[in-house]
Amino acid sequence: MNLIRIEPIDKNNWEEAHSISLLKSQEKLVPSVIESLAWAYIKPWDEAFDPYILCKDDKTFGFFYLSYTPNSTNNYWIGGFQIDKEYQGLGLGTQSLKRILEFIQEMHRQCEVISLTIEKSNNHARKLYEKLGFVNQDKENQDGEIIYKLKLN
């Protein structure tokens, strides 16, 4: 079975991460990989900010980051989640998000709530997240993005 691997971004694979590209219409919906890598260095929101690539077989096809407060139970944020335009429409978004949720639970066993934000116009992402159990909190962040949360079992 071809499983999705999650690998931390480091000096050996950052160029693979940087090569991920979106359709022009999607570029304003999610931060770029380079912007996210800068945030990993600066850590603008929380104490920890970990960027990752998504891989299947020998191909890097996606990216996301996890921003969190270590040892908290409810301050874990998925951000920057994106699938390269060449790999979209193959079900990798759903498979990847499921794998990301498993990964967070494996790496951060104390985590009880995972949050994320969605641009108001990003209906595709909204449907994906709601399908996997994320709930609209009817609140916006400082950038006008809608906040979603998922309570883990």
Side-chain angles (χ1 to χ4, degrees):
M1 187 171 185
N2 297 327
L3 298 177
I4 292 172
R5 291 185 331 279
I6 295 175
E7 297 179 6
I9 296 180
D10 59 25
K11 65 182 179 180
N12 298 313
N13 62 15
W14 72 271
E15 290 175 296
E16 291 176 47
H18 181 49
S19 72
I20 294 167
S21 62
L22 299 172
L23 298 169
K24 270 282 188 227
S25 61
Q26 298 169 325
E27 289 176 356
K28 291 193 182 330
L29 300 176
V30 64
S32 70
V33 171
I34 288 299
E35 186 176 20
S36 298
L37 291 176
W39 290 340
Y41 178 75
I42 297 167
K43 297 177 181 41
W45 302 295
D46 295 307
E47 295 172 39
F49 194 108
D50 301 334
Y52 298 97
I53 53 173
L54 298 162
C55 308
K56 190 170 185 176
D57 301 322
D58 292 333
K59 304 286 186 206
T60 297
F61 67 86
F63 172 85
F64 76 99
Y65 63 76
L66 183 63
S67 174
Y68 61 99
T69 301
N71 301 314
S72 70
T73 59
N74 64 354
N75 195 29
Y76 293 82
W77 292 78
I78 296 171
F81 177 51
Q82 54 195 280
I83 304 296
D84 186 274
K85 64 185 175 188
E86 300 298 320
Y87 294 91
Q88 293 181 15
L90 304 174
L92 289 172
T94 300
Q95 291 174 41
S96 296
L97 187 55
K98 287 178 181 178
R99 180 65 190 109
I100 290 167
L101 296 174
E102 290 170 359
F103 177 78
I104 293 170
Q105 291 175 85
E106 291 164 7
M107 301 301 292
H108 304 278
R109 296 196 181 278
Q110 70 282 358
C111 178
E112 297 174 2
V113 178
I114 300 172
S115 304
L116 52 81
T117 61
I118 302 173
E119 291 282 344
K120 290 178 184 175
S121 63
N122 196 346
N123 290 323
H124 186 75
R126 181 184 49 77
K127 289 176 187 173
L128 169 64
Y129 294 127
E130 288 177 355
K131 178 172 71 172
L132 292 181
F134 282 86
V135 177
N136 184 334
Q137 301 300 296
D138 293 319
K139 295 179 186 174
E140 295 178 9
N141 70 359
Q142 68 277 5
D143 297 320
E145 299 165 334
I146 302 167
I147 298 172
Y148 277 74
K149 291 189 181 288
L150 174 69
K151 290 185 180 175
L152 301 174
N153 297 333

